[in-house]
Amino acid sequence: EQLFAWAGRVPPWAQRLILTITLLLRFVPILLEEWERFSRIAVARGKAPRVTILGAVGQLRDTAIPFMLALFRLGEHAADALESRGIGTRQPTFIRSQFWKRRDTYLLIGCLLIFGFFWIWAKGLFNFM
């Protein structure tokens, strides 16, 4: 970010480039772990590599298809996480503070009454029977 910042601001194209590089550096170890996991699963399922070229292609297929499905799932999770942080939107995400309203007071009073009822009931102060 410091490399691309001019006058304290980072241009949008540099923000996209920085985000891409950051995501690649973050996810390369995860991708390698996923590939290793699916290759071990393929071997455990009895899909041992054969000596022929077709055997190697078959093992690649047995590992690559579940790996790609896992990548789609991982990409969906990453997109959800980035979207929840406001990345990809034109307007930044701000937290708006809510003001206390009359209905909030009524809700609080109602909750306190219900809490008081259950507290008295739990203490056994209702001896109607």
Side-chain angles (χ1 to χ4, degrees):
E1 288 180 357
Q2 293 175 357
L3 180 66
F4 293 115
W6 290 286
R9 300 195 70 208
V10 179
W13 64 268
Q15 289 176 355
R16 289 190 296 269
L17 180 67
I18 291 168
L19 180 63
T20 303
I21 292 170
T22 303
L23 288 175
L24 282 175
L25 291 175
R26 167 69 176 101
F27 287 111
V28 165
I30 293 173
L31 298 177
L32 291 175
E33 289 174 12
E34 289 289 316
W35 182 264
E36 180 66 28
R37 180 172 72 108
F38 286 115
S39 65
R40 281 186 273 131
I41 288 172
V43 170
R45 288 176 52 206
K47 310 275 184 169
R50 297 170 210 96
V51 182
T52 64
I53 299 283
L54 292 176
V57 171
Q59 184 186 10
L60 183 64
R61 184 195 68 227
D62 294 337
T63 304
I65 292 173
F67 176 73
M68 292 302 292
L69 293 174
L71 283 184
F72 291 144
R73 186 186 71 243
L74 183 65
E76 190 70 30
H77 290 300
D80 290 340
L82 290 172
E83 184 178 323
S84 70
R85 290 182 175 95
I87 295 176
T89 59
R90 298 217 182 259
Q91 302 294 332
T93 304
F94 293 111
I95 298 174
R96 294 183 193 163
S97 61
Q98 298 292 322
F99 296 103
W100 193 264
K101 297 179 181 172
R102 181 175 286 159
R103 66 180 180 189
D104 297 325
T105 304
Y106 294 146
L107 179 64
L108 179 65
I109 291 170
C111 290
L112 289 174
L113 288 173
I114 292 170
F115 173 75
F117 173 76
F118 283 131
W119 184 75
I120 291 171
W121 189 20
K123 293 293 182 178
L125 299 177
F126 289 127
N127 293 329
F128 296 119
M129 295 186 190

PDB file of all heavy atoms in Angstrom, residues 64-101:
ATOM      1  N   ALA A  64      -8.244 -33.861  -9.059  1.00  0.00           N
ATOM      2  CA  ALA A  64      -8.580 -32.506  -9.495  1.00  0.00           C
ATOM      3  C   ALA A  64     -10.071 -32.187  -9.378  1.00  0.00           C
ATOM      4  O   ALA A  64     -10.428 -31.062  -9.025  1.00  0.00           O
ATOM      5  CB  ALA A  64      -8.115 -32.293 -10.932  1.00  0.00           C
ATOM      6  N   ILE A  65     -10.934 -33.146  -9.635  1.00  0.00           N
ATOM      7  CA  ILE A  65     -12.369 -32.845  -9.602  1.00  0.00           C
ATOM      8  C   ILE A  65     -12.833 -32.489  -8.188  1.00  0.00           C
ATOM      9  O   ILE A  65     -13.464 -31.444  -7.987  1.00  0.00           O
ATOM     10  CB  ILE A  65     -13.180 -34.002 -10.221  1.00  0.00           C
ATOM     11  CG1 ILE A  65     -12.883 -34.064 -11.729  1.00  0.00           C
ATOM     12  CG2 ILE A  65     -14.668 -33.826  -9.971  1.00  0.00           C
ATOM     13  CD1 ILE A  65     -13.481 -35.246 -12.427  1.00  0.00           C
ATOM     14  N   PRO A  66     -12.526 -33.296  -7.153  1.00  0.00           N
ATOM     15  CA  PRO A  66     -12.914 -32.863  -5.800  1.00  0.00           C
ATOM     16  C   PRO A  66     -12.195 -31.589  -5.362  1.00  0.00           C
ATOM     17  O   PRO A  66     -12.754 -30.767  -4.626  1.00  0.00           O
ATOM     18  CB  PRO A  66     -12.529 -34.033  -4.905  1.00  0.00           C
ATOM     19  CG  PRO A  66     -12.329 -35.183  -5.795  1.00  0.00           C
ATOM     20  CD  PRO A  66     -11.981 -34.640  -7.131  1.00  0.00           C
ATOM     21  N   PHE A  67     -10.962 -31.401  -5.836  1.00  0.00           N
ATOM     22  CA  PHE A  67     -10.217 -30.187  -5.498  1.00  0.00           C
ATOM     23  C   PHE A  67     -10.915 -28.949  -6.051  1.00  0.00           C
ATOM     24  O   PHE A  67     -11.050 -27.939  -5.360  1.00  0.00           O
ATOM     25  CB  PHE A  67      -8.789 -30.303  -6.058  1.00  0.00           C
ATOM     26  CG  PHE A  67      -7.953 -29.074  -5.866  1.00  0.00           C
ATOM     27  CD1 PHE A  67      -7.475 -28.747  -4.617  1.00  0.00           C
ATOM     28  CD2 PHE A  67      -7.646 -28.247  -6.935  1.00  0.00           C
ATOM     29  CE1 PHE A  67      -6.705 -27.611  -4.430  1.00  0.00           C
ATOM     30  CE2 PHE A  67      -6.874 -27.124  -6.762  1.00  0.00           C
ATOM     31  CZ  PHE A  67      -6.406 -26.803  -5.499  1.00  0.00           C
ATOM     32  N   MET A  68     -11.388 -29.029  -7.291  1.00  0.00           N
ATOM     33  CA  MET A  68     -12.084 -27.893  -7.889  1.00  0.00           C
ATOM     34  C   MET A  68     -13.394 -27.603  -7.155  1.00  0.00           C
ATOM     35  O   MET A  68     -13.748 -26.440  -6.936  1.00  0.00           O
ATOM     36  CB  MET A  68     -12.348 -28.149  -9.375  1.00  0.00           C
ATOM     37  CG  MET A  68     -11.094 -28.175 -10.221  1.00  0.00           C
ATOM     38  SD  MET A  68     -10.161 -26.650 -10.111  1.00  0.00           S
ATOM     39  CE  MET A  68     -11.248 -25.530 -10.928  1.00  0.00           C
ATOM     40  N   LEU A  69     -14.110 -28.642  -6.743  1.00  0.00           N
ATOM     41  CA  LEU A  69     -15.341 -28.427  -5.984  1.00  0.00           C
ATOM     42  C   LEU A  69     -15.036 -27.764  -4.641  1.00  0.00           C
ATOM     43  O   LEU A  69     -15.774 -26.884  -4.183  1.00  0.00           O
ATOM     44  CB  LEU A  69     -16.070 -29.751  -5.787  1.00  0.00           C
ATOM     45  CG  LEU A  69     -16.630 -30.387  -7.059  1.00  0.00           C
ATOM     46  CD1 LEU A  69     -17.207 -31.757  -6.754  1.00  0.00           C
ATOM     47  CD2 LEU A  69     -17.671 -29.492  -7.695  1.00  0.00           C
ATOM     48  N   ALA A  70     -13.940 -28.171  -4.011  1.00  0.00           N
ATOM     49  CA  ALA A  70     -13.544 -27.541  -2.752  1.00  0.00           C
ATOM     50  C   ALA A  70     -13.128 -26.085  -2.980  1.00  0.00           C
ATOM     51  O   ALA A  70     -13.377 -25.229  -2.132  1.00  0.00           O
ATOM     52  CB  ALA A  70     -12.393 -28.320  -2.105  1.00  0.00           C
ATOM     53  N   LEU A  71     -12.502 -25.800  -4.124  1.00  0.00           N
ATOM     54  CA  LEU A  71     -12.135 -24.420  -4.440  1.00  0.00           C
ATOM     55  C   LEU A  71     -13.369 -23.539  -4.621  1.00  0.00           C
ATOM     56  O   LEU A  71     -13.381 -22.388  -4.180  1.00  0.00           O
ATOM     57  CB  LEU A  71     -11.288 -24.360  -5.708  1.00  0.00           C
ATOM     58  CG  LEU A  71      -9.837 -24.757  -5.579  1.00  0.00           C
ATOM     59  CD1 LEU A  71      -9.120 -24.535  -6.898  1.00  0.00           C
ATOM     60  CD2 LEU A  71      -9.156 -23.993  -4.490  1.00  0.00           C
ATOM     61  N   PHE A  72     -14.400 -24.076  -5.257  1.00  0.00           N
ATOM     62  CA  PHE A  72     -15.634 -23.306  -5.407  1.00  0.00           C
ATOM     63  C   PHE A  72     -16.230 -22.989  -4.037  1.00  0.00           C
ATOM     64  O   PHE A  72     -16.681 -21.875  -3.779  1.00  0.00           O
ATOM     65  CB  PHE A  72     -16.650 -24.061  -6.256  1.00  0.00           C
ATOM     66  CG  PHE A  72     -16.257 -24.181  -7.699  1.00  0.00           C
ATOM     67  CD1 PHE A  72     -16.551 -25.324  -8.412  1.00  0.00           C
ATOM     68  CD2 PHE A  72     -15.586 -23.160  -8.352  1.00  0.00           C
ATOM     69  CE1 PHE A  72     -16.199 -25.452  -9.737  1.00  0.00           C
ATOM     70  CE2 PHE A  72     -15.224 -23.273  -9.684  1.00  0.00           C
ATOM     71  CZ  PHE A  72     -15.534 -24.424 -10.375  1.00  0.00           C
ATOM     72  N   ARG A  73     -16.232 -23.983  -3.140  1.00  0.00           N
ATOM     73  CA  ARG A  73     -16.760 -23.769  -1.795  1.00  0.00           C
ATOM     74  C   ARG A  73     -15.907 -22.748  -1.043  1.00  0.00           C
ATOM     75  O   ARG A  73     -16.423 -21.842  -0.392  1.00  0.00           O
ATOM     76  CB  ARG A  73     -16.800 -25.096  -1.037  1.00  0.00           C
ATOM     77  CG  ARG A  73     -17.470 -25.000   0.318  1.00  0.00           C
ATOM     78  CD  ARG A  73     -17.374 -26.288   1.106  1.00  0.00           C
ATOM     79  NE  ARG A  73     -16.006 -26.494   1.538  1.00  0.00           N
ATOM     80  CZ  ARG A  73     -15.222 -27.495   1.184  1.00  0.00           C
ATOM     81  NH1 ARG A  73     -15.647 -28.426   0.386  1.00  0.00           N
ATOM     82  NH2 ARG A  73     -13.989 -27.589   1.631  1.00  0.00           N
ATOM     83  N   LEU A  74     -14.598 -22.867  -1.153  1.00  0.00           N
ATOM     84  CA  LEU A  74     -13.694 -21.930  -0.492  1.00  0.00           C
ATOM     85  C   LEU A  74     -13.855 -20.520  -1.053  1.00  0.00           C
ATOM     86  O   LEU A  74     -13.854 -19.544  -0.309  1.00  0.00           O
ATOM     87  CB  LEU A  74     -12.250 -22.410  -0.663  1.00  0.00           C
ATOM     88  CG  LEU A  74     -11.154 -21.616   0.010  1.00  0.00           C
ATOM     89  CD1 LEU A  74     -11.311 -21.698   1.526  1.00  0.00           C
ATOM     90  CD2 LEU A  74      -9.792 -22.154  -0.400  1.00  0.00           C
ATOM     91  N   GLY A  75     -14.016 -20.411  -2.359  1.00  0.00           N
ATOM     92  CA  GLY A  75     -14.236 -19.106  -2.982  1.00  0.00           C
ATOM     93  C   GLY A  75     -15.542 -18.481  -2.542  1.00  0.00           C
ATOM     94  O   GLY A  75     -15.619 -17.271  -2.337  1.00  0.00           O
ATOM     95  N   GLU A  76     -16.558 -19.310  -2.368  1.00  0.00           N
ATOM     96  CA  GLU A  76     -17.841 -18.794  -1.889  1.00  0.00           C
ATOM     97  C   GLU A  76     -17.714 -18.255  -0.468  1.00  0.00           C
ATOM     98  O   GLU A  76     -18.234 -17.182  -0.149  1.00  0.00           O
ATOM     99  CB  GLU A  76     -18.889 -19.913  -1.935  1.00  0.00           C
ATOM    100  CG  GLU A  76     -20.293 -19.459  -1.698  1.00  0.00           C
ATOM    101  CD  GLU A  76     -20.832 -18.628  -2.839  1.00  0.00           C
ATOM    102  OE1 GLU A  76     -20.424 -18.827  -3.991  1.00  0.00           O
ATOM    103  OE2 GLU A  76     -21.661 -17.753  -2.553  1.00  0.00           O
ATOM    104  N   HIS A  77     -16.990 -18.971   0.385  1.00  0.00           N
ATOM    105  CA  HIS A  77     -16.771 -18.500   1.758  1.00  0.00           C
ATOM    106  C   HIS A  77     -15.947 -17.203   1.760  1.00  0.00           C
ATOM    107  O   HIS A  77     -16.240 -16.279   2.533  1.00  0.00           O
ATOM    108  CB  HIS A  77     -16.067 -19.552   2.602  1.00  0.00           C
ATOM    109  CG  HIS A  77     -16.921 -20.734   2.920  1.00  0.00           C
ATOM    110  ND1 HIS A  77     -18.106 -20.632   3.607  1.00  0.00           N
ATOM    111  CD2 HIS A  77     -16.759 -22.046   2.650  1.00  0.00           C
ATOM    112  CE1 HIS A  77     -18.641 -21.826   3.740  1.00  0.00           C
ATOM    113  NE2 HIS A  77     -17.848 -22.706   3.160  1.00  0.00           N
ATOM    114  N   ALA A  78     -14.928 -17.145   0.922  1.00  0.00           N
ATOM    115  CA  ALA A  78     -14.099 -15.936   0.861  1.00  0.00           C
ATOM    116  C   ALA A  78     -14.905 -14.753   0.338  1.00  0.00           C
ATOM    117  O   ALA A  78     -14.778 -13.629   0.838  1.00  0.00           O
ATOM    118  CB  ALA A  78     -12.877 -16.185  -0.024  1.00  0.00           C
ATOM    119  N   ALA A  79     -15.736 -14.982  -0.662  1.00  0.00           N
ATOM    120  CA  ALA A  79     -16.573 -13.898  -1.194  1.00  0.00           C
ATOM    121  C   ALA A  79     -17.555 -13.394  -0.144  1.00  0.00           C
ATOM    122  O   ALA A  79     -17.771 -12.183  -0.014  1.00  0.00           O
ATOM    123  CB  ALA A  79     -17.324 -14.380  -2.434  1.00  0.00           C
ATOM    124  N   ASP A  80     -18.131 -14.318   0.620  1.00  0.00           N
ATOM    125  CA  ASP A  80     -19.041 -13.898   1.693  1.00  0.00           C
ATOM    126  C   ASP A  80     -18.313 -13.082   2.744  1.00  0.00           C
ATOM    127  O   ASP A  80     -18.821 -12.071   3.232  1.00  0.00           O
ATOM    128  CB  ASP A  80     -19.698 -15.111   2.346  1.00  0.00           C
ATOM    129  CG  ASP A  80     -20.701 -15.794   1.432  1.00  0.00           C
ATOM    130  OD1 ASP A  80     -21.163 -15.145   0.477  1.00  0.00           O
ATOM    131  OD2 ASP A  80     -21.013 -16.974   1.693  1.00  0.00           O
ATOM    132  N   ALA A  81     -17.101 -13.517   3.100  1.00  0.00           N
ATOM    133  CA  ALA A  81     -16.328 -12.790   4.113  1.00  0.00           C
ATOM    134  C   ALA A  81     -15.940 -11.404   3.614  1.00  0.00           C
ATOM    135  O   ALA A  81     -16.035 -10.415   4.348  1.00  0.00           O
ATOM    136  CB  ALA A  81     -15.078 -13.585   4.487  1.00  0.00           C
ATOM    137  N   LEU A  82     -15.509 -11.298   2.359  1.00  0.00           N
ATOM    138  CA  LEU A  82     -15.130  -9.999   1.809  1.00  0.00           C
ATOM    139  C   LEU A  82     -16.352  -9.084   1.669  1.00  0.00           C
ATOM    140  O   LEU A  82     -16.272  -7.890   1.956  1.00  0.00           O
ATOM    141  CB  LEU A  82     -14.447 -10.181   0.452  1.00  0.00           C
ATOM    142  CG  LEU A  82     -13.059 -10.804   0.500  1.00  0.00           C
ATOM    143  CD1 LEU A  82     -12.583 -11.118  -0.907  1.00  0.00           C
ATOM    144  CD2 LEU A  82     -12.087  -9.894   1.208  1.00  0.00           C
ATOM    145  N   GLU A  83     -17.466  -9.662   1.256  1.00  0.00           N
ATOM    146  CA  GLU A  83     -18.673  -8.857   1.109  1.00  0.00           C
ATOM    147  C   GLU A  83     -19.163  -8.345   2.455  1.00  0.00           C
ATOM    148  O   GLU A  83     -19.635  -7.210   2.563  1.00  0.00           O
ATOM    149  CB  GLU A  83     -19.761  -9.700   0.455  1.00  0.00           C
ATOM    150  CG  GLU A  83     -21.032  -8.951   0.162  1.00  0.00           C
ATOM    151  CD  GLU A  83     -22.042  -9.840  -0.522  1.00  0.00           C
ATOM    152  OE1 GLU A  83     -21.638 -10.681  -1.347  1.00  0.00           O
ATOM    153  OE2 GLU A  83     -23.235  -9.686  -0.225  1.00  0.00           O
ATOM    154  N   SER A  84     -19.010  -9.154   3.495  1.00  0.00           N
ATOM    155  CA  SER A  84     -19.454  -8.703   4.815  1.00  0.00           C
ATOM    156  C   SER A  84     -18.569  -7.588   5.353  1.00  0.00           C
ATOM    157  O   SER A  84     -18.990  -6.828   6.221  1.00  0.00           O
ATOM    158  CB  SER A  84     -19.455  -9.881   5.794  1.00  0.00           C
ATOM    159  OG  SER A  84     -18.136 -10.287   6.087  1.00  0.00           O
ATOM    160  N   ARG A  85     -17.356  -7.470   4.842  1.00  0.00           N
ATOM    161  CA  ARG A  85     -16.460  -6.387   5.261  1.00  0.00           C
ATOM    162  C   ARG A  85     -16.577  -5.159   4.372  1.00  0.00           C
ATOM    163  O   ARG A  85     -15.845  -4.191   4.542  1.00  0.00           O
ATOM    164  CB  ARG A  85     -15.021  -6.889   5.282  1.00  0.00           C
ATOM    165  CG  ARG A  85     -14.790  -7.866   6.410  1.00  0.00           C
ATOM    166  CD  ARG A  85     -13.359  -8.317   6.454  1.00  0.00           C
ATOM    167  NE  ARG A  85     -13.132  -9.151   7.598  1.00  0.00           N
ATOM    168  CZ  ARG A  85     -13.183 -10.470   7.597  1.00  0.00           C
ATOM    169  NH1 ARG A  85     -13.497 -11.100   6.481  1.00  0.00           N
ATOM    170  NH2 ARG A  85     -12.945 -11.156   8.684  1.00  0.00           N
ATOM    171  N   GLY A  86     -17.460  -5.201   3.381  1.00  0.00           N
ATOM    172  CA  GLY A  86     -17.700  -4.030   2.552  1.00  0.00           C
ATOM    173  C   GLY A  86     -16.831  -3.944   1.327  1.00  0.00           C
ATOM    174  O   GLY A  86     -16.847  -2.938   0.629  1.00  0.00           O
ATOM    175  N   ILE A  87     -16.052  -4.977   1.015  1.00  0.00           N
ATOM    176  CA  ILE A  87     -15.206  -4.947  -0.177  1.00  0.00           C
ATOM    177  C   ILE A  87     -16.065  -5.303  -1.387  1.00  0.00           C
ATOM    178  O   ILE A  87     -16.859  -6.226  -1.352  1.00  0.00           O
ATOM    179  CB  ILE A  87     -14.025  -5.925  -0.024  1.00  0.00           C
ATOM    180  CG1 ILE A  87     -13.131  -5.438   1.099  1.00  0.00           C
ATOM    181  CG2 ILE A  87     -13.254  -6.069  -1.320  1.00  0.00           C
ATOM    182  CD1 ILE A  87     -11.999  -6.342   1.430  1.00  0.00           C
ATOM    183  N   GLY A  88     -15.901  -4.543  -2.439  1.00  0.00           N
ATOM    184  CA  GLY A  88     -16.657  -4.790  -3.656  1.00  0.00           C
ATOM    185  C   GLY A  88     -17.875  -3.903  -3.789  1.00  0.00           C
ATOM    186  O   GLY A  88     -18.549  -3.929  -4.804  1.00  0.00           O
ATOM    187  N   THR A  89     -18.155  -3.114  -2.791  1.00  0.00           N
ATOM    188  CA  THR A  89     -19.266  -2.173  -2.884  1.00  0.00           C
ATOM    189  C   THR A  89     -18.723  -0.785  -3.178  1.00  0.00           C
ATOM    190  O   THR A  89     -17.592  -0.465  -2.837  1.00  0.00           O
ATOM    191  CB  THR A  89     -20.065  -2.133  -1.569  1.00  0.00           C
ATOM    192  OG1 THR A  89     -19.191  -1.746  -0.510  1.00  0.00           O
ATOM    193  CG2 THR A  89     -20.665  -3.487  -1.251  1.00  0.00           C
ATOM    194  N   ARG A  90     -19.532   0.034  -3.782  1.00  0.00           N
ATOM    195  CA  ARG A  90     -19.091   1.383  -4.103  1.00  0.00           C
ATOM    196  C   ARG A  90     -19.101   2.278  -2.873  1.00  0.00           C
ATOM    197  O   ARG A  90     -18.297   3.161  -2.737  1.00  0.00           O
ATOM    198  CB  ARG A  90     -19.977   1.965  -5.192  1.00  0.00           C
ATOM    199  CG  ARG A  90     -19.895   1.179  -6.477  1.00  0.00           C
ATOM    200  CD  ARG A  90     -19.957   2.112  -7.651  1.00  0.00           C
ATOM    201  NE  ARG A  90     -19.930   1.348  -8.888  1.00  0.00           N
ATOM    202  CZ  ARG A  90     -18.853   1.212  -9.618  1.00  0.00           C
ATOM    203  NH1 ARG A  90     -17.738   1.762  -9.237  1.00  0.00           N
ATOM    204  NH2 ARG A  90     -18.877   0.520 -10.737  1.00  0.00           N
ATOM    205  N   GLN A  91     -20.051   2.050  -2.006  1.00  0.00           N
ATOM    206  CA  GLN A  91     -20.140   2.854  -0.793  1.00  0.00           C
ATOM    207  C   GLN A  91     -19.501   2.088   0.365  1.00  0.00           C
ATOM    208  O   GLN A  91     -19.759   0.908   0.530  1.00  0.00           O
ATOM    209  CB  GLN A  91     -21.605   3.136  -0.438  1.00  0.00           C
ATOM    210  CG  GLN A  91     -22.373   3.846  -1.534  1.00  0.00           C
ATOM    211  CD  GLN A  91     -21.845   5.244  -1.770  1.00  0.00           C
ATOM    212  OE1 GLN A  91     -21.307   5.864  -0.882  1.00  0.00           O
ATOM    213  NE2 GLN A  91     -22.000   5.730  -2.993  1.00  0.00           N
ATOM    214  N   PRO A  92     -18.673   2.743   1.158  1.00  0.00           N
ATOM    215  CA  PRO A  92     -18.109   2.040   2.311  1.00  0.00           C
ATOM    216  C   PRO A  92     -19.191   1.719   3.333  1.00  0.00           C
ATOM    217  O   PRO A  92     -20.219   2.390   3.403  1.00  0.00           O
ATOM    218  CB  PRO A  92     -17.091   3.041   2.878  1.00  0.00           C
ATOM    219  CG  PRO A  92     -17.525   4.363   2.363  1.00  0.00           C
ATOM    220  CD  PRO A  92     -18.215   4.111   1.057  1.00  0.00           C
ATOM    221  N   THR A  93     -18.952   0.677   4.094  1.00  0.00           N
ATOM    222  CA  THR A  93     -19.913   0.253   5.096  1.00  0.00           C
ATOM    223  C   THR A  93     -19.690   1.040   6.372  1.00  0.00           C
ATOM    224  O   THR A  93     -18.599   1.044   6.926  1.00  0.00           O
ATOM    225  CB  THR A  93     -19.754  -1.247   5.378  1.00  0.00           C
ATOM    226  OG1 THR A  93     -19.883  -1.942   4.149  1.00  0.00           O
ATOM    227  CG2 THR A  93     -20.778  -1.733   6.352  1.00  0.00           C
ATOM    228  N   PHE A  94     -20.729   1.724   6.811  1.00  0.00           N
ATOM    229  CA  PHE A  94     -20.666   2.485   8.052  1.00  0.00           C
ATOM    230  C   PHE A  94     -21.680   1.918   9.028  1.00  0.00           C
ATOM    231  O   PHE A  94     -22.754   1.469   8.637  1.00  0.00           O
ATOM    232  CB  PHE A  94     -20.986   3.969   7.817  1.00  0.00           C
ATOM    233  CG  PHE A  94     -19.956   4.680   7.010  1.00  0.00           C
ATOM    234  CD1 PHE A  94     -20.232   5.106   5.726  1.00  0.00           C
ATOM    235  CD2 PHE A  94     -18.697   4.925   7.524  1.00  0.00           C
ATOM    236  CE1 PHE A  94     -19.281   5.763   4.972  1.00  0.00           C
ATOM    237  CE2 PHE A  94     -17.745   5.582   6.777  1.00  0.00           C
ATOM    238  CZ  PHE A  94     -18.035   6.001   5.500  1.00  0.00           C
ATOM    239  N   ILE A  95     -21.360   1.988  10.298  1.00  0.00           N
ATOM    240  CA  ILE A  95     -22.303   1.589  11.326  1.00  0.00           C
ATOM    241  C   ILE A  95     -23.082   2.828  11.735  1.00  0.00           C
ATOM    242  O   ILE A  95     -22.500   3.816  12.172  1.00  0.00           O
ATOM    243  CB  ILE A  95     -21.570   0.985  12.535  1.00  0.00           C
ATOM    244  CG1 ILE A  95     -20.822  -0.267  12.127  1.00  0.00           C
ATOM    245  CG2 ILE A  95     -22.536   0.696  13.666  1.00  0.00           C
ATOM    246  CD1 ILE A  95     -19.969  -0.842  13.231  1.00  0.00           C
ATOM    247  N   ARG A  96     -24.366   2.766  11.559  1.00  0.00           N
ATOM    248  CA  ARG A  96     -25.206   3.894  11.957  1.00  0.00           C
ATOM    249  C   ARG A  96     -25.670   3.661  13.386  1.00  0.00           C
ATOM    250  O   ARG A  96     -26.188   2.597  13.700  1.00  0.00           O
ATOM    251  CB  ARG A  96     -26.420   3.997  11.054  1.00  0.00           C
ATOM    252  CG  ARG A  96     -26.073   4.335   9.646  1.00  0.00           C
ATOM    253  CD  ARG A  96     -27.341   4.498   8.853  1.00  0.00           C
ATOM    254  NE  ARG A  96     -27.012   4.517   7.440  1.00  0.00           N
ATOM    255  CZ  ARG A  96     -27.875   4.329   6.489  1.00  0.00           C
ATOM    256  NH1 ARG A  96     -29.128   4.093   6.775  1.00  0.00           N
ATOM    257  NH2 ARG A  96     -27.506   4.363   5.231  1.00  0.00           N
ATOM    258  N   SER A  97     -25.491   4.638  14.213  1.00  0.00           N
ATOM    259  CA  SER A  97     -25.962   4.488  15.581  1.00  0.00           C
ATOM    260  C   SER A  97     -27.458   4.763  15.613  1.00  0.00           C
ATOM    261  O   SER A  97     -27.941   5.722  15.018  1.00  0.00           O
ATOM    262  CB  SER A  97     -25.212   5.439  16.515  1.00  0.00           C
ATOM    263  OG  SER A  97     -25.449   6.768  16.126  1.00  0.00           O
ATOM    264  N   GLN A  98     -28.173   3.906  16.294  1.00  0.00           N
ATOM    265  CA  GLN A  98     -29.612   4.057  16.412  1.00  0.00           C
ATOM    266  C   GLN A  98     -29.936   4.908  17.638  1.00  0.00           C
ATOM    267  O   GLN A  98     -29.223   4.890  18.627  1.00  0.00           O
ATOM    268  CB  GLN A  98     -30.259   2.675  16.552  1.00  0.00           C
ATOM    269  CG  GLN A  98     -30.035   1.775  15.349  1.00  0.00           C
ATOM    270  CD  GLN A  98     -30.769   2.288  14.123  1.00  0.00           C
ATOM    271  OE1 GLN A  98     -31.873   2.794  14.221  1.00  0.00           O
ATOM    272  NE2 GLN A  98     -30.139   2.152  12.969  1.00  0.00           N
ATOM    273  N   PHE A  99     -30.995   5.635  17.548  1.00  0.00           N
ATOM    274  CA  PHE A  99     -31.441   6.454  18.664  1.00  0.00           C
ATOM    275  C   PHE A  99     -32.493   5.692  19.459  1.00  0.00           C
ATOM    276  O   PHE A  99     -33.251   4.903  18.918  1.00  0.00           O
ATOM    277  CB  PHE A  99     -32.008   7.785  18.160  1.00  0.00           C
ATOM    278  CG  PHE A  99     -30.974   8.635  17.483  1.00  0.00           C
ATOM    279  CD1 PHE A  99     -30.926   8.725  16.101  1.00  0.00           C
ATOM    280  CD2 PHE A  99     -30.035   9.318  18.226  1.00  0.00           C
ATOM    281  CE1 PHE A  99     -29.977   9.493  15.476  1.00  0.00           C
ATOM    282  CE2 PHE A  99     -29.077  10.103  17.611  1.00  0.00           C
ATOM    283  CZ  PHE A  99     -29.043  10.184  16.234  1.00  0.00           C
ATOM    284  N   TRP A 100     -32.514   5.951  20.754  1.00  0.00           N
ATOM    285  CA  TRP A 100     -33.467   5.298  21.639  1.00  0.00           C
ATOM    286  C   TRP A 100     -34.857   5.876  21.353  1.00  0.00           C
ATOM    287  O   TRP A 100     -35.061   7.084  21.352  1.00  0.00           O
ATOM    288  CB  TRP A 100     -33.067   5.543  23.096  1.00  0.00           C
ATOM    289  CG  TRP A 100     -33.799   4.678  24.065  1.00  0.00           C
ATOM    290  CD1 TRP A 100     -34.912   5.007  24.757  1.00  0.00           C
ATOM    291  CD2 TRP A 100     -33.461   3.358  24.447  1.00  0.00           C
ATOM    292  NE1 TRP A 100     -35.299   3.969  25.556  1.00  0.00           N
ATOM    293  CE2 TRP A 100     -34.417   2.936  25.383  1.00  0.00           C
ATOM    294  CE3 TRP A 100     -32.452   2.489  24.077  1.00  0.00           C
ATOM    295  CZ2 TRP A 100     -34.390   1.684  25.971  1.00  0.00           C
ATOM    296  CZ3 TRP A 100     -32.419   1.243  24.664  1.00  0.00           C
ATOM    297  CH2 TRP A 100     -33.381   0.842  25.591  1.00  0.00           C
ATOM    298  N   LYS A 101     -35.814   4.989  21.112  1.00  0.00           N
ATOM    299  CA  LYS A 101     -37.173   5.412  20.794  1.00  0.00           C
ATOM    300  C   LYS A 101     -38.133   4.926  21.875  1.00  0.00           C
ATOM    301  O   LYS A 101     -37.767   4.118  22.733  1.00  0.00           O
ATOM    302  CB  LYS A 101     -37.584   4.853  19.431  1.00  0.00           C
ATOM    303  CG  LYS A 101     -36.729   5.391  18.302  1.00  0.00           C
ATOM    304  CD  LYS A 101     -37.144   4.816  16.979  1.00  0.00           C
ATOM    305  CE  LYS A 101     -36.225   5.377  15.898  1.00  0.00           C
ATOM    306  NZ  LYS A 101     -36.418   4.744  14.631  1.00  0.00           N
TER     307      LYS A 101
END
